[in-house]
């Protein structure tokens, strides 16, 4: 007998409950067949998974090892189920997660054009961080995420759409806001640096902090805030400065001055994330449309594939 997912589910439930009777109740089966299944599993593995005679039931060292992997396998199987359900939905919907800063880039144009060209597709938009997007993709809540963090996950396929330059947002009247010079990060360390989002991490805040740390620079004071709009509002209030993606220039305010950075490698990527192997027509059309806009507007990028 090769073991099946069912055996793993039984084993994990017994290990969690530390008791056969309670586990059987949770699984809606009688206790004797549950004990038989665990015995079969132990025979198949050629080892004991539970300490014999222990009350409450304790895992052996091998049992602990198997438990950690069984839990991972079961949660992976649950993810596959949720993802497949979502992919198989016949009504054509496309649910998109995005980080707020992409609203100041090409996202509004992409959505407008997509709605115009594919009006049979029901588009839904959800603001969320990159880390939240990965979870939402796996739970089938969204189909596409637009974020900025290179998060590794075997169930998620990432395409770096383009790299966006970082710029500095300064309050009007700031000494560095005068003149046309591009600024260096080292000229900013005596200001309070406002970064976002505070959680979940890693986030765009870490990209900005790394830009300083990579150059062995430490800002005098750092304030972490919940979101981009708060960071910009606090800059306007004179609380500090913020490093933001270049597209923020589109958010014109008369109390903020944006300055270019004179630094190499000061970029933030715009990353499209989809479920691995999801090549649905809606997603292919969306990616084609993004590249068409980049071509028309002569925005530099390296083409990726689904
Ligand atoms: C962009 O600005 O390039 C962009 C923003 C959101 C989604 C896709 C692309």
């Amino acid at each position: 007998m090769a073991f099946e997912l069912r055996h793993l589910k039984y084993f994990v439930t017994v290990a969690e409950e530390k008791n056969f009777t309670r586990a059987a109740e949770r699984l809606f089966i009688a206790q004797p067949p549950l004990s038989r299944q665990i015995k079969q599993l132990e025979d198949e593995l050629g080892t004991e998974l539970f300490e014999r005679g222990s009350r409450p039931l304790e895992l052996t060292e091998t049992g602990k090892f198997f438990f950690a992997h069984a839990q991972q396998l079961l949660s992976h199987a649950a993810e596959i189920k949720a993802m497949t359900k979502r992919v198989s939905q016949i009504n054509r919907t496309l649910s998109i997660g995005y980080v707020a800063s992409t609203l100041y880039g090409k996202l509004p144009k992409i959505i407008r054009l997509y709605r115009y060209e594919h009006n049979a597709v029901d588009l839904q938009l959800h603001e969320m961080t990159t880390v939240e997007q990965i979870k939402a993709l796996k739970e089938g809540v969204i189909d596409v995420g637009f974020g900025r963090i290179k998060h590794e996950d075997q169930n998620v396929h990432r395409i770096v759409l383009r790299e966006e330059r970082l710029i500095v947002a300064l309050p009007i009247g700031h000494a560095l806001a005068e003149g046309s010079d591009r600024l260096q990060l080292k000229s900013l360390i005596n200001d309070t640096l406002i970064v976002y989002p505070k959680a979940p991490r890693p986030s765009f805040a870490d990209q900005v902090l790394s830009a300083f740390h990579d150059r062995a620079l430490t800002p005098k004071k750092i304030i972490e805030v919940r979101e981009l709009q708060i960071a910009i509002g606090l800059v306007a209030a004179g609380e500090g400065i913020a490093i933001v993606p270049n597209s923020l220039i589109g958010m014109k305010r008369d109390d903020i001055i944006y300055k270019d950075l004179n630094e190499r490698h000061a970029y933030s990527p715009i990353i499209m994330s989809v479920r691995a192997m999801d090549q649905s027509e809606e997603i292919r059309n969306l990616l084609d449309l993004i590249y068409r806009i980049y071509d028309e507007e002569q925005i530099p990028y390296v083409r990726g594939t689904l």
Side-chain angles (χ1 to χ4, degrees):
M1 177 212 78
F3 66 76
E4 299 167 10
L5 274 186
R6 173 171 46 95
H7 290 104
L8 298 187
K9 193 171 153 201
Y10 290 172
F11 164 70
V12 166
T13 310
V14 175
E16 282 172 354
E17 292 294 338
K18 298 184 188 301
N19 179 294
F20 273 95
T21 314
R22 280 200 302 274
E25 276 168 16
R26 224 174 95 184
L27 291 163
F28 301 107
I29 58 169
Q31 192 186 320
L34 176 59
S35 304
R36 262 198 314 278
Q37 299 275 342
I38 299 292
K39 178 77 180 58
Q40 276 176 7
L41 183 59
E42 288 182 325
D43 290 347
E44 168 70 17
L45 293 168
T47 184
E48 289 191 350
L49 297 170
F50 293 100
E51 300 284 2
R52 286 292 167 252
S54 57
R55 293 279 179 281
L57 264 184
E58 292 298 338
L59 289 166
T60 58
E61 280 309 307
T62 318
K64 285 179 192 160
F65 173 84
F66 190 65
F67 178 64
H69 287 275
Q71 270 186 320
Q72 265 183 20
L73 252 169
L74 287 177
S75 86
H76 189 47
E79 281 170 13
I80 292 174
K81 185 173 156 196
M83 293 193 296
T84 309
K85 270 192 177 163
R86 177 73 201 180
V87 170
S88 71
Q89 276 180 2
I90 27 156
N91 57 335
R92 299 179 63 198
T93 64
L94 191 61
S95 187
I96 298 176
Y98 62 93
V99 292
S101 64
T102 57
L103 281 177
Y104 302 98
K106 294 293 151 211
L107 188 61
K109 181 167 183 180
I110 291 165
I111 301 300
R112 258 195 334 266
L113 253 175
Y114 193 92
R115 284 216 164 101
Y116 179 72
E117 293 181 4
H118 308 279
N119 57 7
V121 180
D122 177 18
L123 267 196
Q124 292 161 6
L125 296 170
H126 307 269
E127 195 252 316
M128 50 177 85
T129 65
T130 314
V131 173
E132 288 164 347
Q133 288 172 21
I134 305 300
K135 183 163 176 279
L137 275 171
K138 294 200 290 186
E139 289 173 351
V141 175
I142 60 167
D143 305 297
V144 181
F146 293 117
R148 294 195 175 269
I149 306 298
K150 292 184 176 162
H151 194 88
E152 287 292 342
D153 192 298
Q154 57 173 347
N155 287 325
V156 174
H157 176 60
R158 278 187 335 225
I159 299 170
V160 176
L161 294 172
R162 66 183 175 106
E163 299 277 352
E164 211 182 340
R165 271 187 307 113
L166 292 176
I167 56 170
V168 192
L170 301 161
I172 191 149
H174 189 288
L176 294 172
E178 310 304 322
S180 57
D181 298 349
R182 297 194 297 154
L183 301 180
Q184 286 198 300
L185 288 177
K186 73 171 181 228
S187 65
L188 305 173
I189 54 171
N190 289 321
D191 281 276
T192 297
L193 177 67
I194 303 170
V195 295
Y196 67 91
K198 194 182 197 152
R201 305 299 269 266
S203 72
F204 181 70
D206 300 294
Q207 268 173 17
V208 170
L209 294 174
S210 302
F212 283 91
H213 295 158
D214 292 351
R215 293 163 177 83
L217 298 170
T218 311
K220 187 182 76 179
K221 186 172 170 206
I222 297 166
I223 299 181
E224 296 182 347
V225 295
R226 211 157 35 80
E227 55 181 52
L228 166 65
Q229 286 79 0
I230 296 174
I232 291 296
L234 289 180
V235 172
E239 288 288 290
I241 58 142
I243 307 288
V244 293
N246 181 56
S247 47
L248 259 283
I249 287 181
M251 188 215 249
K252 290 206 170 54
R253 296 178 54 134
D254 54 15
D255 46 10
I256 298 250
I257 306 283
Y258 295 106
K259 287 285 208 177
D260 280 337
L261 275 175
N262 184 13
E263 296 281 359
R264 284 148 58 95
H265 312 301
Y267 289 94
S268 170
I270 297 181
I271 299 168
M272 174 165 161
S273 301
V274 294
R275 282 179 282 275
M277 287 176 279
D278 185 352
Q279 307 208 333
S280 63
E281 193 188 335
E282 288 77 19
I283 292 176
R284 273 187 283 119
N285 287 338
L286 179 64
L287 187 59
D288 288 348
L289 186 146
I290 293 170
Y291 287 145
R292 213 172 70 218
I293 291 177
Y294 287 173
D295 286 336
E296 280 166 14
E297 299 193 11
Q298 296 180 358
I299 295 173
Y301 69 95
V302 177
R303 192 173 280 262
T305 49
L306 280 172

